[in-house]
Amino acid sequence: MTPPKKRNSSIPGTIIFDGKMALKGYALNKMCLSFNSAANRQEFLRDEDAYCQKFNLSDEQRRAVKNRNVLELLEAGGNIYYLAKLAGIFGLDVQDIGAQQTGMTVEAFKAKLRSEKE
């Protein structure tokens, strides 16, 4: 049996979600999973700091939540599948996240998508 290949973590800007990141992001991802409940989403919106404290988020994770920055959330151990709920609460859509990932404004990112379509 061939051993599994190691992932290439040398790709600039790539955040590998491995066991270490899963442990780092456990509290953040657990909080995001709680947003499957509408009542929990409302509780978060009422008092964001208290809700983050309830899940024992680290300072790095709390800062990323306050900044509404998906890339910071990924670096803080967030898993994109769980973060989708949080991004929705923030009112972010896929184009907002794409703009963050490319360092562009949302308008510039949308224009780029339209120009590539033509």
Side-chain angles (χ1 to χ4, degrees):
M1 185 158 109
T2 308
K5 292 182 181 179
K6 290 191 174 195
R7 295 185 209 172
N8 181 354
S9 61
S10 64
I11 301 169
T14 301
I15 300 164
I16 303 295
F17 189 81
D18 56 10
K20 183 178 177 182
M21 288 299 276
L23 288 173
K24 179 181 181 180
Y26 181 78
L28 174 61
N29 293 317
K30 186 175 179 181
M31 181 182 80
C32 290
L33 182 61
S34 78
F35 296 139
N36 285 333
S37 161
N40 289 341
R41 294 191 297 272
Q42 290 303 315
E43 182 181 343
F44 173 83
L45 290 170
R46 275 193 305 278
D47 190 343
E48 185 175 308
D49 288 330
Y51 202 81
C52 289
Q53 188 173 14
K54 176 179 173 177
F55 284 87
N56 298 313
L57 267 59
S58 69
D59 290 340
E60 177 189 17
Q61 292 166 339
R62 287 183 188 191
R63 228 179 356 267
V65 169
K66 284 185 189 304
N67 292 340
R68 307 298 197 251
N69 189 302
V70 174
L71 296 178
E72 287 180 38
L73 289 162
L74 291 169
E75 290 172 2
N79 181 292
I80 192 63
Y81 298 105
Y82 296 117
L83 293 176
K85 282 285 187 190
L86 189 56
I89 292 171
F90 295 159
L92 300 175
D93 61 25
V94 175
Q95 292 177 347
D96 294 308
I97 295 169
Q100 286 183 12
Q101 290 176 314
T102 58
M104 303 170 89
T105 66
V106 175
E107 294 74 25
F109 184 72
K110 287 179 180 180
K112 181 180 185 317
L113 291 176
R114 282 191 293 272
S115 72
E116 290 177 0
K117 219 175 172 182
E118 298 168 356

